[in-house]
Amino acid sequence: MTIKDIARRASVSVSTVSRVLNNHPDVSEDVRAKVLAVVQEAHYVPNSSARDLVRPQSDAIGLVVRGVGNPFFTGVIHAIEDAIGQAGYTMVLHQISSREDEIRAGAELARSKRLRGLILLGGCFDYTQEQVAILNVPFVCCTYTNSFGNLQSGDYSSVTIDDQHEAFQAVQMLIERGHRKIAILLDSTADRSISQLRYVGYCKALESAGLTLDPELVAETGTFDMAASYIGTRKLMERRQDFTAVFAIADAMAVAAIRALHDGGRRVPEDCSVIAIDGIELSAYTIPALTTLVQPQEKLGERSVSILVDMIEGRAGNRHLQVDTSPRNGDSVRPIA
Amino acid sequence: MTIKDIARRASVSVSTVSRVLNNHPDVSEDVRAKVLAVVQEAHYVPNSSARDLVRPQSDAIGLVVRGVGNPFFTGVIHAIEDAIGQAGYTMVLHQISSREDEIRAGAELARSKRLRGLILLGGCFDYTQEQVAILNVPFVCCTYTNSFGNLQSGDYSSVTIDDQHEAFQAVQMLIERGHRKIAILLDSTADRSISQLRYVGYCKALESAGLTLDPELVAETGTFDMAASYIGTRKLMERRQDFTAVFAIADAMAVAAIRALHDGGRRVPEDCSVIAIDGIELSAYTIPALTTLVQPQEKLGERSVSILVDMIEGRAGNRHLQVDTSPRNGDSVRPIA
């Protein structure tokens, strides 16, 4: 079934069918209805490669998601999809693994789909200006910034929590509840990414309370894996018995840590408190429920879209927005004397 | 930067650049290297819409994932990606929400990307032959079958667990451990999908042990939500106090059920056993760890690809493969007298 067959069946010209499929206004409602009826009846799917070539500009916004299966991204993706639709655009989703290069993937998508703009959900914190030069459309980094790269503020947009500050807040919640020996469970202290930013927040919170940083209480796992987090916590317990609280930089890591503490004979929160940042659904149902700082998934998605659409429609240039977390009080933190 | 600029910089013709970019064999290695050097230096990304039109056949296999954020799909997607690469093809991933139509999305992707074949990860169990007629490439249903539709076995391929049989196994594990009053937590007994198949397995296991089906022990939630599963379990507890075990049809539902039992004063497994089907990573770290029948994520992905590639390369027609689960013994089931 080709566009010619559709034209023949509907008794109109090929260019009329093309105008209907591309939503041109210069077609009468009668003709439009007739063509669409034939299209529907024939289960005709337009070849969008061909269509994209003749169409001067698409209405597509690309979403490149880096890291398959990050449970935290689910709500963000839904919010982005809804907001793009409400703004009158179409979302093209492309998911890549965390081994792949989101800038390259975004550049290819932008050209092949003639995108108007791009949202990158998850990515590296250390882009160079040379790297992003291949992007020929405005883009928004959603959930991360260029803290370790050389982009200027006007080179890109971002919507994110303030990782350093939120880590500071989480550790301060523990300090306010009497904790002094606070361990941290993280990927790496120097990953030029999220772990490093949250580690700096941890250090600053200790410092502002006059507490000394104790390197033995820093448990580096090398990944965000639950298995590695479990082992990292067990090793921490072999090294030290005197900590009364753990700050895990992600919910899934905290769930594995609670289990490791439990298996090592320390109950949470009676013998050790645990706090995290993220707010995934599942950690609200564990026993104990995890106390965590919830990232506003909907807001992260919505605001990324509105900043991008403002740029596409010429209302504003690159902008950077920081959103706040909100504490979700579970049962994993208790005050101590 | 266009293909003409690349040709000028490399001092070759446009058609030579095109042959290099499309991996045609009739280009000398010297010329190929020269062109690729210019392409790389210029950060040139070919416009694949244009390229796809002149290329007679792509090497692309599409993967349509239905349901954003299903934690169980993560491992399957990775396995599919690896297997497609190893077979010498390129994966094009397209993710849709569970409100969308995976057949329509697959048909559009197949045409716009000139796909050789399609894997549908997650989808409806009740396709009609008219519905799938718009797919112009071979396709494999991964993790589901057409149990409630009118497709013939030769109309499509599938790789899946035997939902009914695995549910039978899970319930039988409880029966063998002395349980007689066994509740089921599920989406719906008649959803023409996974819930219904697993419900039939539950009924058959009870029947084969001479136990009577008790409608009050059937907790329908209407969704796979954790919040709905929590409420469904609390309602079940209000209705009945005498059940000693719960079969939840998915891991996330089981985690919410354990929490609901706990909040209602019943410890797992001391006062009530819980078993599920899925085997997500997180449920291995909850307290208690969930006892569950693990779906082989890698095998589901790998076999879907090999069946599809056999069809693409003309070695075989449509096939159906059932894979087995393996029990993961957690701490959520105990034998009773």
Coordinates of all heavy atoms in Angstrom, one line a residue, chain A residues 128-182:
Chain A
T128 N 33.1 18.9 27.2 CA 33.9 20.1 26.7 C 33.1 20.8 25.6 O 32.1 20.2 25.1 CB 35.2 19.5 26.1 OG1 34.8 18.7 24.9 CG2 36.0 18.7 27.0
Q129 N 33.5 22.0 25.4 CA 32.8 22.8 24.3 C 32.9 22.1 23.0 O 32.0 22.2 22.2 CB 33.3 24.2 24.3 CG 32.9 25.0 25.6 CD 33.3 26.4 25.6 OE1 34.3 26.8 25.1 NE2 32.4 27.3 26.1
E130 N 34.0 21.5 22.7 CA 34.2 20.8 21.4 C 33.2 19.6 21.3 O 32.7 19.4 20.2 CB 35.7 20.2 21.4 CG 36.8 21.2 21.4 CD 36.9 22.0 22.7 OE1 36.8 21.3 23.8 OE2 37.1 23.2 22.7
Q131 N 33.0 18.9 22.4 CA 32.1 17.8 22.4 C 30.7 18.2 22.0 O 30.0 17.5 21.2 CB 32.1 17.2 23.8 CG 32.4 15.7 23.9 CD 32.3 15.3 25.4 OE1 32.8 16.0 26.3 NE2 31.8 14.2 25.6
V132 N 30.2 19.2 22.7 CA 28.8 19.6 22.4 C 28.6 20.3 21.1 O 27.4 20.6 20.7 CB 28.1 20.3 23.6 CG1 28.2 19.5 24.9 CG2 28.8 21.7 23.8
A133 N 29.7 20.7 20.5 CA 29.6 21.5 19.2 C 28.8 20.7 18.1 O 28.3 21.3 17.2 CB 31.0 21.9 18.7
I134 N 28.8 19.4 18.2 CA 28.1 18.6 17.2 C 26.5 18.7 17.3 O 25.8 18.2 16.4 CB 28.5 17.1 17.1 CG1 28.2 16.4 18.4 CG2 30.0 17.0 16.7 CD1 28.4 14.9 18.3
L135 N 26.1 19.2 18.5 CA 24.6 19.3 18.6 C 24.1 20.6 17.9 O 24.6 21.7 18.2 CB 24.3 19.4 20.1 CG 24.4 18.1 20.9 CD1 24.2 18.4 22.4 CD2 23.4 17.1 20.4
N136 N 23.2 20.4 17.0 CA 22.8 21.6 16.2 C 21.4 22.1 16.6 O 20.7 22.8 15.9 CB 22.8 21.2 14.7 CG 21.8 20.1 14.4 OD1 21.2 19.5 15.3 ND2 21.5 19.8 13.1
V137 N 21.0 21.7 17.8 CA 19.7 22.1 18.4 C 19.9 22.5 19.8 O 20.8 22.0 20.5 CB 18.6 21.0 18.3 CG1 18.2 20.8 16.8 CG2 19.0 19.8 19.0
P138 N 19.0 23.3 20.4 CA 19.1 23.6 21.8 C 18.9 22.3 22.6 O 18.2 21.4 22.2 CB 18.0 24.6 22.1 CG 17.1 24.6 20.9 CD 17.9 24.1 19.8
F139 N 19.6 22.2 23.8 CA 19.4 21.0 24.6 C 19.4 21.4 26.1 O 19.9 22.4 26.5 CB 20.5 20.0 24.3 CG 21.9 20.4 24.7 CD1 22.5 20.0 25.8 CD2 22.6 21.3 23.9 CE1 23.8 20.4 26.2 CE2 23.9 21.7 24.2 CZ 24.5 21.2 25.4
V140 N 18.7 20.5 26.8 CA 18.6 20.7 28.3 C 19.1 19.4 29.0 O 18.7 18.3 28.6 CB 17.1 20.9 28.7 CG1 17.0 21.0 30.2 CG2 16.5 22.1 28.0
C141 N 20.1 19.5 29.9 CA 20.5 18.4 30.7 C 19.6 18.3 31.9 O 19.5 19.2 32.7 CB 21.9 18.7 31.2 SG 23.2 18.9 29.9
C142 N 18.9 17.2 31.9 CA 17.9 16.9 33.0 C 18.5 16.0 34.0 O 18.9 14.9 33.7 CB 16.6 16.3 32.4 SG 15.3 16.0 33.6
T143 N 18.5 16.4 35.3 CA 19.1 15.8 36.5 C 20.6 15.9 36.6 O 21.2 15.3 37.5 CB 18.7 14.3 36.6 OG1 19.5 13.5 35.6 CG2 17.3 14.0 36.4
Y144 N 21.3 16.7 35.7 CA 22.7 16.9 35.9 C 23.2 18.2 35.3 O 22.4 18.8 34.6 CB 23.5 15.7 35.3 CG 23.5 15.6 33.8 CD1 24.6 15.9 33.0 CD2 22.3 15.2 33.1 CE1 24.5 15.8 31.7 CE2 22.3 15.1 31.8 CZ 23.4 15.4 31.0 OH 23.3 15.3 29.7
T145 N 24.4 18.6 35.7 CA 24.9 19.8 35.3 C 26.3 19.6 34.7 O 26.7 18.4 34.6 CB 25.1 20.8 36.4 OG1 26.0 20.2 37.4 CG2 23.8 21.1 37.1
N146 N 27.0 20.7 34.3 CA 28.4 20.5 33.8 C 29.4 20.9 34.8 O 30.4 21.5 34.5 CB 28.5 21.4 32.5 CG 29.6 21.0 31.7 OD1 30.5 21.8 31.4 ND2 29.7 19.8 31.2
S147 N 29.2 20.5 36.1 CA 30.1 20.9 37.2 C 31.6 20.6 36.9 O 32.4 21.3 37.5 CB 29.7 20.1 38.4 OG 28.3 20.2 38.7
F148 N 31.9 19.6 36.1 CA 33.3 19.2 36.0 C 33.8 19.4 34.6 O 34.9 18.9 34.2 CB 33.5 17.7 36.4 CG 33.1 17.5 37.8 CD1 31.9 16.9 38.2 CD2 34.0 17.8 38.9 CE1 31.5 16.7 39.5 CE2 33.6 17.6 40.2 CZ 32.4 17.0 40.5
G149 N 33.0 20.1 33.7 CA 33.4 20.3 32.3 C 33.8 21.8 32.1 O 33.9 22.5 33.1
N150 N 33.9 22.2 30.9 CA 34.3 23.6 30.6 C 33.2 24.4 29.9 O 33.5 25.4 29.3 CB 35.6 23.6 29.9 CG 35.5 23.2 28.4 OD1 34.4 23.0 27.9 ND2 36.7 23.1 27.8
L151 N 31.9 23.9 29.9 CA 30.9 24.7 29.3 C 30.6 26.0 30.1 O 30.7 26.0 31.4 CB 29.6 23.9 29.2 CG 29.6 22.6 28.5 CD1 28.2 22.1 28.3 CD2 30.3 22.7 27.1
Q152 N 30.3 27.1 29.4 CA 29.9 28.3 30.1 C 28.4 28.1 30.4 O 27.7 27.3 29.7 CB 30.1 29.5 29.2 CG 31.5 29.7 28.8 CD 32.4 30.0 29.9 OE1 32.1 30.9 30.7 NE2 33.5 29.2 30.1
S153 N 27.9 28.9 31.3 CA 26.5 28.8 31.7 C 25.6 29.1 30.5 O 24.5 28.5 30.4 CB 26.2 29.8 32.8 OG 24.9 30.3 32.8
G154 N 26.0 29.9 29.5 CA 25.2 30.2 28.3 C 25.2 29.1 27.2 O 24.5 29.2 26.2
D155 N 26.1 28.1 27.4 CA 26.3 27.1 26.4 C 25.2 26.0 26.5 O 25.1 25.2 25.5 CB 27.6 26.4 26.6 CG 28.8 27.3 26.2 OD1 28.6 28.4 25.6 OD2 29.9 27.1 26.7
Y156 N 24.5 25.9 27.6 CA 23.6 24.8 27.7 C 22.6 25.1 28.8 O 22.8 26.1 29.6 CB 24.3 23.5 28.1 CG 24.8 23.4 29.6 CD1 24.2 22.5 30.5 CD2 25.7 24.3 30.1 CE1 24.6 22.4 31.8 CE2 26.1 24.2 31.4 CZ 25.6 23.3 32.2 OH 25.9 23.3 33.6
S157 N 21.5 24.3 28.9 CA 20.5 24.5 30.0 C 20.5 23.3 30.9 O 20.9 22.2 30.4 CB 19.1 24.7 29.4 OG 19.0 25.9 28.7
S158 N 20.0 23.4 32.1 CA 20.0 22.3 33.0 C 18.8 22.5 34.0 O 18.5 23.6 34.3 CB 21.3 22.1 33.7 OG 21.5 23.1 34.7
V159 N 18.3 21.3 34.4 CA 17.3 21.3 35.5 C 17.7 20.2 36.4 O 17.8 19.0 36.0 CB 15.9 21.1 35.0 CG1 14.9 21.0 36.2 CG2 15.4 22.1 34.0
T160 N 18.0 20.5 37.6 CA 18.6 19.5 38.5 C 18.4 19.9 40.0 O 18.0 21.0 40.3 CB 20.1 19.4 38.2 OG1 20.7 18.5 39.1 CG2 20.8 20.7 38.3
I161 N 18.6 18.9 40.9 CA 18.7 19.3 42.3 C 20.1 19.8 42.5 O 21.0 19.6 41.6 CB 18.4 18.1 43.2 CG1 19.4 17.0 43.1 CG2 17.0 17.6 43.1 CD1 19.4 16.0 44.3
D162 N 20.3 20.5 43.6 CA 21.7 20.9 44.0 C 22.3 19.7 44.7 O 22.1 19.6 45.9 CB 21.6 22.1 44.8 CG 23.0 22.7 45.2 OD1 24.0 21.9 45.1 OD2 23.1 23.8 45.6
D163 N 23.0 18.8 44.0 CA 23.5 17.6 44.6 C 24.3 17.8 45.9 O 24.1 17.1 46.9 CB 24.3 16.8 43.6 CG 23.5 16.1 42.6 OD1 22.7 15.2 42.9 OD2 23.6 16.6 41.4
Q164 N 25.2 18.8 45.8 CA 26.0 19.1 47.0 C 25.2 19.5 48.2 O 25.3 19.0 49.3 CB 27.1 20.1 46.6 CG 28.1 20.4 47.6 CD 29.1 21.4 47.2 OE1 29.6 21.4 46.1 NE2 29.3 22.4 48.0
H165 N 24.3 20.5 47.9 CA 23.5 21.0 49.0 C 22.6 19.9 49.6 O 22.4 19.9 50.8 CB 22.7 22.2 48.5 CG 21.7 22.7 49.5 ND1 22.1 23.4 50.6 CD2 20.4 22.7 49.5 CE1 21.1 23.8 51.3 NE2 20.0 23.3 50.7
E166 N 22.0 19.1 48.7 CA 21.0 18.1 49.2 C 21.7 17.1 50.1 O 21.2 16.6 51.1 CB 20.3 17.4 48.1 CG 19.4 18.4 47.3 CD 18.3 19.1 48.0 OE1 18.0 18.6 49.2 OE2 17.7 20.0 47.5
A167 N 23.0 16.7 49.7 CA 23.8 15.8 50.5 C 24.1 16.4 51.8 O 24.0 15.8 52.9 CB 25.0 15.4 49.8
F168 N 24.4 17.7 51.8 CA 24.6 18.5 53.0 C 23.4 18.4 53.9 O 23.5 18.1 55.1 CB 24.9 19.9 52.6 CG 25.2 20.8 53.8 CD1 26.5 21.1 54.1 CD2 24.2 21.4 54.6 CE1 26.8 22.0 55.2 CE2 24.5 22.2 55.6 CZ 25.8 22.5 56.0
Q169 N 22.2 18.6 53.4 CA 21.0 18.5 54.1 C 20.8 17.1 54.8 O 20.3 17.0 55.9 CB 19.8 18.8 53.2 CG 19.8 20.1 52.5 CD 19.0 21.1 53.3 OE1 19.5 21.8 54.2 NE2 17.7 21.2 53.1
A170 N 21.0 16.1 54.0 CA 20.8 14.7 54.5 C 21.7 14.4 55.7 O 21.2 13.9 56.7 CB 21.0 13.7 53.3
V171 N 23.0 14.8 55.5 CA 23.9 14.6 56.6 C 23.6 15.4 57.8 O 23.6 15.0 59.0 CB 25.3 14.8 56.1 CG1 26.3 14.6 57.3 CG2 25.7 13.8 55.0
Q172 N 23.1 16.7 57.5 CA 22.7 17.5 58.6 C 21.5 17.0 59.4 O 21.5 17.1 60.6 CB 22.4 18.9 58.1 CG 22.5 19.9 59.3 CD 22.6 21.4 58.8 OE1 21.9 21.8 57.9 NE2 23.5 22.1 59.3
M173 N 20.6 16.3 58.7 CA 19.5 15.7 59.4 C 20.0 14.7 60.4 O 19.4 14.5 61.5 CB 18.5 15.0 58.4 CG 17.5 16.0 57.8 SD 16.4 15.1 56.5 CE 15.5 14.0 57.6
L174 N 21.0 14.0 60.0 CA 21.6 13.0 61.0 C 22.3 13.7 62.1 O 22.1 13.3 63.3 CB 22.6 12.1 60.2 CG 22.0 11.2 59.1 CD1 23.1 10.5 58.3 CD2 21.0 10.1 59.7
I175 N 23.0 14.7 61.8 CA 23.7 15.5 62.9 C 22.8 16.1 63.9 O 23.0 16.0 65.1 CB 24.6 16.5 62.2 CG1 25.8 15.9 61.4 CG2 25.2 17.5 63.3 CD1 26.6 16.8 60.6
E176 N 21.7 16.6 63.4 CA 20.7 17.2 64.2 C 20.0 16.2 65.2 O 19.5 16.5 66.2 CB 19.5 17.9 63.4 CG 19.9 19.2 62.8 CD 18.9 19.7 61.7 OE1 17.9 18.9 61.5 OE2 19.2 20.7 61.1
R177 N 20.0 14.9 64.8 CA 19.5 13.9 65.6 C 20.5 13.2 66.5 O 20.4 12.1 66.9 CB 18.8 12.9 64.7 CG 17.4 13.3 64.3 CD 16.8 12.8 63.0 NE 15.6 13.4 62.6 CZ 15.5 14.6 62.0 NH1 16.6 15.3 61.8 NH2 14.4 15.1 61.7
G178 N 21.7 13.9 66.6 CA 22.7 13.4 67.6 C 23.8 12.6 67.0 O 24.7 12.2 67.8
H179 N 23.7 12.3 65.8 CA 24.8 11.4 65.2 C 26.1 12.2 65.0 O 26.1 13.3 64.5 CB 24.3 10.8 63.9 CG 23.1 9.9 64.1 ND1 23.2 8.6 64.5 CD2 21.8 10.1 64.0 CE1 22.0 8.0 64.6 NE2 21.1 9.0 64.3
R180 N 27.2 11.5 65.3 CA 28.5 12.1 65.2 C 29.4 11.3 64.3 O 30.3 11.8 63.6 CB 29.2 12.3 66.6 CG 28.5 13.3 67.5 CD 28.7 14.7 67.0 NE 27.9 15.7 67.7 CZ 26.6 16.1 67.4 NH1 26.1 15.5 66.3 NH2 26.0 17.0 68.1
K181 N 29.3 10.0 64.4 CA 30.1 9.1 63.6 C 29.2 8.6 62.4 O 28.4 7.7 62.5 CB 30.5 7.8 64.4 CG 31.3 8.1 65.6 CD 32.8 8.1 65.3 CE 33.6 8.2 66.6 NZ 35.0 8.5 66.2
I182 N 29.3 9.3 61.3 CA 28.4 9.1 60.1 C 29.2 8.6 59.0 O 30.1 9.3 58.5 CB 27.7 10.4 59.8 CG1 26.9 10.9 60.9 CG2 26.8 10.2 58.5 CD1 26.4 12.4 60.8

